[in-house]
Amino acid sequence: MPSQEEIVAKINDLQNGEMKQVTVGETDVLLARQNNKFYALHAYCTHYGAPLAEGVLNGNRLVCPWHHACFDVTSGHQLEAPGMDGLPSYEVRTEGEDVIVRVNDPEAERETPPMVKKDASNNQVYAVLGGGAAGAYAVEAMREAGYTGRIIMITRETDIPYDRVNCSKEFLQDEAPEEWMPLRSEEFYSDLDIEFMMGKTVTKVNAAAKKITFKDGETLVFDKLLLCTGGVPRKLEVPGNQLDNVFTLRSMKDSERIRDAGKTPQQVVVVGSSFIAMESAWSLSKLGCEVTVVSPDSAPFADKWGERIGKMIKHLHEENGIDFRLGEKVGKLEGKDQIERVVLETGEILEATLVLIGIGVQPATGFLEDISLEKDKGIQADQYLKVTPDVYAAGDIVHFPYMGDKVRIEHWKVACQQGRIAGYNMAGKKEPYKMTPFFWSTQQETNFRYVGYVKDYDRIIYDGNVEEEEFIAFYIKNKKVLAALGVNRDEEMAAIQELIREDNMPDLDDLEAGYVDYLSYLS
């Protein structure tokens, strides 16, 4: 397609740090100005297609408004997950007062950094144990950083890496086709000479011997290893937990089985009020199921986000037909072969034809022979995600340094970015992991954005109205904002991520006083 160019703005239309969406022919373009220079990029995030003009620009960091992927505005290169690719950039120049953009390839939708391929003379083996987000980012990072030996991804699943976060949302709702789920195509991995060992169960990993042993007796010797095995759903330890139609949800295959059962309207009991539990409750209700949530909590996420927000989320679900039994525990599950009843410890009986257990996960690390485990079964890594000289870890299993502490965070974006950094470092870089954590959840079509991390907090400062579902909640510990939760305040939440990252949050007195222009604090 021939190139096109147009005058898209006047020089004074944008000040430094500002951006807007323009068009060149039929191509949408993001125009940004920083340090008195203009940049033109693909207008939409390469993750879920968010309009980037609704995000924020902080120095050279362009932050997506939805899921906080970050890009270098000067090149389009992706700095932080999610999504896998950067943004195509376009030629931009000024003539007099005019800003002119030339689009050479209007069909371009992705920018990927140069990657090497396998060199037959390099006999090294880098093994990646786990086929999720961390592993997917890691194998690309290794090739990007110049590693030319063998890369072998080992997974219990039979699918190439896919968008696991959708397993409780659109995919479970039957609104996302299976072909939409993979993060990359099989051809992409083949072109990079990435090998897969699928459907493999690991029984032992000996780090000192650099040896992996599989359930079928096969072994693999590695030069370097990335551990990114994620979590295993916790079981409900009550009588009847082995009945048919009692499910946990971790994989795409799990989601498929639950979805297929739920297409015939069921009486569903969801046990737990975790993110997976509540997202799944919403999704099953959209399939036409009658859903009851049983949880010992006083309200969903009240322990994480506070009672006021927990009550708002409960009300949100109740308005959409979901029933609750809160402050309750399951005593047993009953049925002949398939689940028929859920009996609460109080004696109340809930009729059920499908039960979903959503009470959290624990790190999948039981196969490790000579790497010590923490109390929660996670493993310790340093700022480079190194566990031993030749073993690295990423994702849900790893305790890593953050703000003077060691934390373990089960967030998709964290797993993605840790995989990328671990892959770089395995290939010879020395890049510390220092991303500000970010998490999102969707409850009944309402999006929740959470940035930062705090295990406990002294108090909450609210900006906006929780009950009207438009607010930011700031979580304070020792007179410092460590985390924030936002609903329907996307642009500001993107800015707050940057302010927490730079330790540049407004004073607590200003937050208490009312509205703060968070964007004005950006560089």
Side-chain angles (χ1 to χ4, degrees):
M1 187 177 291
S3 62
Q4 295 176 293
E5 70 173 36
E6 288 188 19
I7 298 171
V8 296
K10 298 295 183 182
I11 288 178
N12 291 329
D13 288 349
L14 291 180
Q15 302 302 310
N16 285 325
E18 293 183 343
M19 53 189 179
K20 70 174 182 177
Q21 186 168 310
V22 298
T23 57
V24 177
E26 297 182 357
T27 302
D28 292 331
V29 173
L30 179 74
L31 182 68
R33 186 177 187 179
Q34 192 62 286
N35 296 323
N36 294 317
K37 189 172 181 179
F38 287 93
Y39 300 95
L41 303 162
H42 184 69
Y44 303 103
C45 182
T46 55
H47 181 223
Y48 281 0
L52 291 169
E54 296 178 11
V56 299
L57 191 58
N58 183 38
N60 289 344
R61 286 169 56 90
L62 168 61
V63 185
C64 168
W66 291 357
H67 305 122
H68 293 204
C70 298
F71 306 90
D72 185 336
V73 76
T74 68
S75 65
H77 183 66
Q78 191 190 75
L79 302 173
E80 291 182 9
M84 306 292 286
D85 298 305
L87 303 167
S89 58
Y90 307 117
E91 179 187 335
V92 58
R93 69 182 193 276
T94 58
E95 291 184 1
E97 296 297 310
D98 296 330
V99 181
I100 301 167
V101 172
R102 175 186 291 271
V103 175
N104 292 317
D105 184 6
E107 303 300 320
E109 295 181 357
R110 296 288 187 267
E111 179 269 348
T112 54
M115 298 186 190
V116 300
K117 294 189 177 184
K118 183 179 179 299
D119 184 337
S121 65
N122 188 338
N123 295 317
Q124 286 188 308
V125 174
Y126 285 11
V128 175
L129 187 47
Y137 272 79
V139 297
E140 294 191 29
M142 292 176 198
R143 291 295 190 225
E144 182 187 341
Y147 171 67
T148 60
R150 291 179 69 190
I151 299 176
I152 304 174
M153 180 177 281
I154 304 160
T155 173
R156 295 182 63 173
E157 299 190 49
T158 55
D159 298 296
I160 60 175
Y162 56 85
D163 188 2
R164 192 181 301 274
V165 295
N166 250 314
C167 289
S168 57
K169 303 183 185 77
E170 284 92 341
F171 188 73
L172 183 55
Q173 295 163 16
D174 203 25
E175 294 181 1
E178 188 170 338
E179 58 269 20
W180 187 84
M181 295 290 280
L183 300 178
R184 295 292 197 190
S185 67
E186 292 182 6
E187 291 76 16
F188 179 89
Y189 291 114
S190 177
D191 287 345
L192 288 182
D193 297 309
I194 309 299
E195 304 172 46
F196 283 89
M197 295 178 69
M198 291 185 168
K200 301 290 284 187
T201 299
V202 173
T203 56
K204 297 178 185 177
V205 169
N206 189 294
K210 297 186 177 182
K211 184 179 179 180
I212 300 170
T213 303
F214 298 96
K215 186 176 181 180
D216 59 12
E218 190 177 354
T219 61
L220 175 69
V221 175
F222 58 84
D223 291 282
K224 291 186 181 181
L225 171 66
L226 175 63
L227 297 168
C228 51
T229 44
V232 178
R234 297 183 186 276
K235 293 183 179 180
L236 183 67
E237 300 295 344
V238 299
N241 64 2
Q242 299 301 318
L243 289 168
D244 286 346
N245 266 23
V246 176
F247 298 97
T248 56
L249 174 54
R250 181 66 181 175
S251 69
M252 189 162 68
K253 289 291 191 292
D254 293 337
S255 183
E256 206 172 323
R257 286 190 285 267
I258 298 166
R259 182 194 66 197
D260 290 347
K263 283 182 180 178
T264 302
Q266 306 279 349
Q267 288 179 290
V268 174
V269 173
V270 174
V271 181
S273 53
S274 65
F275 292 106
I276 290 291
M278 296 311 304
E279 290 172 359
S280 298
W282 162 51
S283 296
L284 286 165
S285 70
K286 288 192 71 174
L287 289 177
C289 296
E290 180 184 318
V291 180
T292 300
V293 174
V294 178
S295 172
D297 297 334
S298 59
F301 320 118
D303 59 334
K304 295 179 176 63
W305 292 340
E307 285 286 340
R308 185 177 175 188
I309 292 170
K311 289 177 181 178
M312 180 272 285
I313 295 172
K314 174 177 177 284
H315 180 66
L316 193 64
H317 286 284
E318 286 177 328
E319 282 187 318
N320 288 276
I322 291 177
D323 198 9
F324 285 87
R325 297 292 187 277
L326 296 174
E328 303 273 10
K329 291 184 178 180
V330 174
K332 58 183 175 179
L333 306 177
E334 292 184 339
K336 187 176 180 181
D337 296 309
Q338 181 172 308
I339 184 68
E340 297 174 14
R341 293 172 297 279
V342 175
V343 183
L344 304 186
E345 287 186 348
T346 59
E348 182 181 0
I349 295 174
L350 302 174
E351 300 297 323
T353 55
L354 188 156
V355 169
L356 175 63
I357 312 298
I359 55 176
V361 300
Q362 66 179 30
T365 54
F367 52 84
L368 295 172
E369 281 195 325
D370 57 346
I371 293 176
S372 61
L373 302 181
E374 301 301 303
K375 288 182 180 180
D376 64 358
K377 307 301 182 183
I379 56 179
Q380 290 268 14
D382 66 13
Q383 63 180 328
Y384 303 103
L385 301 171
K386 184 184 290 187
V387 179
T388 75
D390 294 306
V391 176
Y392 292 73
D396 292 359
I397 66 173
V398 63
H399 291 255
F400 61 94
Y402 179 73
M403 297 188 72
D405 200 359
K406 287 271 190 174
V407 301
R408 187 175 68 83
I409 298 177
E410 297 169 356
H411 294 177
W412 176 260
K413 176 173 174 171
V414 170
C416 293
Q417 193 70 6
Q418 285 183 344
R420 171 180 279 161
I421 298 302
Y424 283 158
N425 293 333
M426 289 173 72
K429 286 191 173 185
K430 196 170 183 180
E431 185 169 330
Y433 174 79
K434 53 185 180 180
M435 186 189 80
T436 300
F438 171 79
F439 171 82
W440 77 91
S441 179
T442 305
Q443 312 279 327
Q444 300 291 353
E445 312 291 353
T446 298
N447 293 305
F448 294 78
R449 323 278 188 210
Y450 180 78
V451 299
Y453 174 82
V454 60
K455 188 173 182 180
D456 49 24
Y457 46 87
D458 302 328
R459 63 184 175 126
I460 306 173
I461 296 175
Y462 297 98
D463 175 353
N465 192 311
V466 172
E467 289 69 31
E468 293 180 3
E469 299 169 29
E470 186 172 342
F471 67 90
I472 300 171
F474 295 99
Y475 296 88
I476 317 298
K477 187 172 184 178
N478 297 329
K479 299 183 178 180
K480 184 172 183 177
V481 175
L482 295 182
L485 171 70
V487 173
N488 290 319
R489 301 281 289 272
D490 289 354
E491 183 183 30
E492 292 157 295
M493 285 303 295
I496 288 166
Q497 171 183 284
E498 295 299 283
L499 299 181
I500 290 176
R501 185 181 71 88
E502 296 177 341
D503 194 19
N504 189 34
M505 282 294 299
D507 292 339
L508 297 189
D509 289 345
D510 292 335
L511 294 179
E512 289 274 21
Y515 179 76
V516 175
D517 182 3
Y518 306 106
L519 276 68
S520 69
Y521 286 75
L522 298 176
S523 59

